[in-house]
């Protein structure tokens, strides 16, 4: 059973993705595993542009596209997976961190 803290954080994430998520009124974003054999999975994504992130060495860098993905919707996103958004297709390039509910990824524009 989830703790009270887990339930509070789940509600906070619900609000966060409802307010800042991509395609709130559209058909919705999808994730396709890099092997290409699985069907696209609908999910909620927050897309950030030109986000400054801290590295493990304490230096900061700019990530042109950053995605926040709910792990309850895509259990284990993988490098090379494809996010399809109304803005276009993006490739998961590098995991940047996770809080066990949301995973952050640097993205590359897809072709």
């Amino acid at each position: 059973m989830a703790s009270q803290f887990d339930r509070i954080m789940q509600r906070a994430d619900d609000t966060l993705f409802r307010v800042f998520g991509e395609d709130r009124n559209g058909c919705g974003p999808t994730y396709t595993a890099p092997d290409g054999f699985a069907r696209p999975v609908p999910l909620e994504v927050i897309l950030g542009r030109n986000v400054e992130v801290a590295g493990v060495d304490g230096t900061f860098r700019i990530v042109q596209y950053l995605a926040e993905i709910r792990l309850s919707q895509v259990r284990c996103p993988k490098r090379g997976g494809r996010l399809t958004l109304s803005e276009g297709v993006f490739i998961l390039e590098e995991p940047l961190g996770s809080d066990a509910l949301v995973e952050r990824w640097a993205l590359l524009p897809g072709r």
Side-chain angles (χ1 to χ4, degrees):
M1 178 177 228
S3 70
Q4 182 177 359
F5 178 78
D6 290 337
R7 288 188 295 273
I8 290 170
M9 292 310 297
Q10 181 67 44
R11 284 195 309 255
D13 282 343
D14 291 344
T15 301
L16 179 71
F17 280 86
R18 185 175 57 249
V19 172
F20 295 106
E22 294 294 308
D23 295 333
R24 291 180 298 279
N25 299 319
C27 60
T30 60
Y31 167 80
T32 305
D35 61 17
F37 296 114
R39 289 191 167 163
V41 176
L43 75 160
E44 294 174 285
V45 174
I46 296 174
L47 181 63
R49 294 159 187 85
N50 299 317
V51 177
E52 193 170 10
V53 296
V56 293
D57 59 358
T59 61
F60 288 86
R61 67 182 173 113
I62 301 294
V63 173
Q64 184 178 6
Y65 297 104
L66 182 138
E68 296 186 60
I69 300 171
R70 295 182 90 165
L71 293 174
S72 64
Q73 296 170 337
V74 176
R75 196 170 283 276
C76 187
K78 293 187 178 5
R79 185 182 316 264
R82 299 172 71 83
L83 285 178
T84 304
L85 309 172
S86 62
E87 188 169 321
V89 174
F90 296 89
I91 308 300
L92 275 65
E93 176 188 29
E94 175 187 1
L96 298 175
S98 173
D99 66 4
L101 296 174
V102 174
E103 210 165 78
R104 296 167 33 134
W105 281 82
L107 304 175
L108 293 173
R111 295 179 237 140

